[in-house]
Amino acid sequence: MARVLAVASDLLLGSRVEAMLSAAGHQVTLAPSLAEAPLEGVELLVADLDAENPEALVGLGAPVLGYYSHVDVETREAAVAAGVDLVVPRSRMARELPALAEKLLDG
């Protein structure tokens, strides 16, 4: 399937993202930050918007699925304004991650 980069400072949540996308057939690389992430060949970027600047996530050559705490409206608005392709609350991402990833990968 696709090469996915998951950027998550919370290793427990990052492991869950990795497990869900791997089970869906994707090759997943998990990184604690964008600065430490291998970007070459990435077809989808899944990132924790509470830990990464949304502006740094766009324009990297891959669609971006950003997730945030549902109570953090400012983070959501900043991500939308920056051009993050799909911005969802963390709870929705945890429930629907494979479907959300497919939506972005299908264009």
Side-chain angles (χ1 to χ4, degrees):
M1 293 291 257
R3 293 186 59 192
V4 179
L5 173 61
V7 178
S9 59
D10 177 338
L11 294 180
L12 183 61
L13 184 57
S15 294
R16 186 172 179 189
V17 167
E18 182 179 25
M20 290 175 73
L21 290 174
S22 292
H26 300 292
Q27 178 186 353
V28 182
T29 301
L30 181 59
S33 71
L34 188 61
E36 300 174 62
L39 297 171
E40 188 173 325
V42 170
E43 297 172 78
L44 175 65
L45 175 59
V46 178
D48 180 353
L49 297 173
D50 293 334
E52 295 294 332
N53 179 346
E55 292 178 2
L57 300 171
V58 297
L60 297 175
V64 179
L65 168 58
Y67 59 91
Y68 66 99
S69 171
H70 73 281
V71 296
D72 191 351
V73 176
E74 284 183 25
T75 295
R76 181 193 164 284
E77 290 173 352
V80 169
V84 173
D85 298 288
L86 184 57
V87 181
V88 298
R90 185 177 290 115
S91 58
R92 181 174 174 205
M93 185 276 305
R95 282 190 321 268
E96 302 174 23
L97 181 56
L100 295 170
E102 290 307 316
K103 178 179 178 178
L104 287 172
L105 288 166
D106 289 342

